[in-house]
């Protein structure tokens, strides 16, 4: 059978029809054609719930598609077939990919050039916890903040998917880690080498100052909004603030673009001051360029290099995949509700398993 004679398959995918509660997500089935030139058909083994989907269902993720569309920021799966110009050696091998949308499905068509191979011995759900979160954490830590051994970093929301990986990577780099989190997670975080502080402590800044009287070398802030002013004040004289989300504005009525621009303006102002501090906003898609451009190829190469390195750390036991919960794709509403619940009790990523129970 040639690549062009591969029959169509029927994929089940989640659709976000508009600004709905989690129960408003619904499943649809649609046929997928054989892969075209440059494409690979991937049977999805694991995908996950992230902040992005929570923002998208509220219409508050900057640059999201118009409704309706399929959510799903990243995935891990096995290549089932490839387009006529794609290496057939990819078939049967496990890969990860960043998708931004569309990963909440049992099968997807993707550009083969976007695939990053998962090492032998690493399970799909483990690799999924690192695909966007591990890449984000690694690039912020090493490319932006350039954290070194002996430094002290502060991770806000250290119990989350990105936070747990930031903590592990920073500790591996020889840094001291202070992190804000719910008290229910403090014991588990201490086991990761984190010095936890209650995120709702009314004197949270004072508690952090007690641990780092001279300030910290880097702060990783996912909240945005007013939080970044506190984060900036907690830096030492040469510290770096990295903001990578505006989670505090998730339910705000101010237009998301205005909230984002307010953050960027504040960061730019601080960088204009005659200090040795630095502040930036991190976006894992920055520098992606246009399709088929040299910039896009350089972006893909950077993603492949960094994610391959992170996967290697997982394979070698340096990193531990922190999975908060596992759900079949058919229970996606419950997975989203847990992700957004203040009663969540487990550390790490909420994973969706599209083929569970099938």
């Amino acid at each position: 059978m040639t690549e062009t004679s591969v029959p169509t398959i029927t994929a089940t995918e989640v659709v976000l029809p508009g600004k709905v509660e989690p129960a408003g997500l619904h499943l649809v089935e649609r046929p997928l054609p054989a892969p075209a030139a440059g494409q690979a058909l991937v049977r999805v083994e694991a995908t996950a719930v992230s902040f992005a989907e929570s923002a998208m269902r509220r219409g508050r993720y900057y640059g999201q598609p118009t409704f309706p569309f399929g959510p799903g920021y990243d995935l891990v799966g096995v290549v089932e077939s490839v387009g006529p110009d794609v290496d057939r050696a990819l078939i049967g091998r496990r890969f990860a990919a960043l998708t931004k949308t569309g990963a909440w499905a049992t099968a997807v068509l993707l550009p083969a050039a976007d695939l990053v191979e998962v090492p032998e011995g690493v399970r799909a759900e483990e690799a999924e916890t690192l695909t966007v979160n591990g890449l984000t954490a690694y690039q912020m830590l090493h490319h932006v903040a350039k954290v070194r051994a002996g430094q002290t970093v502060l991770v806000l929301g250290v119990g989350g998917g990105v936070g747990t990986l930031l903590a592990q990577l920073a500790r591996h780099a020889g840094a001291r880690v202070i992190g804000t989190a719910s008290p229910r997670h403090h014991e588990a975080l201490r086991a990761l080498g984190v010095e936890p502080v209650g995120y709702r402590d009314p004197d949270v800044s004072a508690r952090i100052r007690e641990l780092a009287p001279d300030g910290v070398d880097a702060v990783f802030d996912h909240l945005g909004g007013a939080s970044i002013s506190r984060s900036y004040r907690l830096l030492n004289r040469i510290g770096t603030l990295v903001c990578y989300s505006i989670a505090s504005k998730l339910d705000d009525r101010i237009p998301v673009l205005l909230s984002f621009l307010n953050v960027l303006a504040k960061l730019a102002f601080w960088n204009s001051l005659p200090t040795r501090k630095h502040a930036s906003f991190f976006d894992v898609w920055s520098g992606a360029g246009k399709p088929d451009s040299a910039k896009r190829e350089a972006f893909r190469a950077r993603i492949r290099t960094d994610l391959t390195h992170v996967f290697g750390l997982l394979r070698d036991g340096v990193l531990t995949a922190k999975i908060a919960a596992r759900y079949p794709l058919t229970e996606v509403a419950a997975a989203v509700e847990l992700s957004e619940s203040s009663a969540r009790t487990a550390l790490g990523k909420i994973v969706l398993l599209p083929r569970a129970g099938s």
Side-chain angles (χ1 to χ4, degrees), residues 283-349:
D283 177 6
V284 74
W285 296 97
S286 178
K290 296 180 179 180
D292 302 321
S293 67
K295 196 172 184 180
R296 176 63 61 88
E297 291 309 308
F299 171 79
R300 283 170 167 157
R302 185 167 64 252
I303 295 293
R304 189 174 299 109
T305 297
D306 291 343
L307 191 51
T308 297
H309 179 72
V310 171
F311 282 153
L313 294 176
L314 177 64
R315 177 199 58 209
D316 297 341
V318 173
L319 297 178
T320 301
K322 296 296 182 182
I323 299 175
R326 300 168 177 84
Y327 285 87
L329 192 67
T330 53
E331 296 179 22
V332 63
V336 173
E337 287 171 355
L338 177 62
S339 175
E340 298 178 13
S341 170
S342 61
R344 178 174 167 181
T345 58
L347 292 174
K349 192 84 169 174

Side-chain angles (χ1 to χ4, degrees), residues 42-219:
V42 179
R43 288 276 188 181
V44 182
E45 296 179 292
T47 179
V49 182
S50 67
F51 168 78
E53 289 88 29
S54 295
M56 287 180 186
R57 75 171 185 82
R58 292 168 169 83
R60 294 192 59 78
Y61 188 90
Y62 182 64
Q64 70 183 70
T66 55
F67 296 115
F69 64 90
Y73 213 84
D74 60 350
L75 61 83
V76 173
V78 173
V79 172
E80 183 157 293
S81 58
V82 296
D85 60 343
V86 178
D87 186 356
R88 287 185 59 81
L90 273 60
I91 297 173
R93 287 155 58 187
R94 177 173 290 152
F95 293 88
L98 274 68
T99 57
K100 191 176 285 188
T101 58
W104 289 359
T106 56
V108 295
L109 287 167
L110 296 174
D114 288 346
L115 302 178
V116 178
E117 189 156 20
V118 176
E120 289 287 339
V122 175
R123 293 185 299 147
E125 61 187 63
E126 294 175 329
E128 169 56 27
T129 68
L130 269 67
T131 300
V132 68
N133 288 358
L135 180 68
T136 296
Y138 181 84
Q139 292 188 339
M140 290 194 300
L141 195 79
H142 292 290
H143 297 338
V144 182
K146 297 180 172 62
V147 170
R148 304 183 304 277
Q151 293 188 323
T152 298
V153 304
L154 171 63
V155 180
L156 304 189
V158 71
V162 175
T164 53
L165 290 165
L166 271 168
Q168 292 181 74
L169 287 166
R171 293 292 294 152
H172 178 59
R176 177 190 179 201
V177 180
I178 301 169
T180 63
S182 169
R184 70 168 66 93
H185 298 318
H186 286 192
E187 183 177 351
L189 289 166
R190 289 189 184 98
L192 290 178
V194 176
E195 298 171 51
V197 176
Y199 78 104
R200 286 184 175 170
D201 189 318
D203 295 318
V204 62
S205 292
R207 301 288 82 78
I208 293 166
R209 279 291 184 188
E210 290 172 1
L211 295 171
D214 297 324
V216 298
D217 295 282
V219 181

Side-chain angles (χ1 to χ4, degrees), residues 222-246:
H222 69 299
L223 294 171
S227 174
I228 61 171
S229 296
R230 181 187 68 191
S231 294
Y232 188 78
R233 290 193 296 269
L234 289 168
L235 293 173
N236 61 26
R237 60 186 181 84
I238 57 171
T240 299
L241 165 62
V242 185
C243 180
Y244 62 99
S245 181
I246 51 173

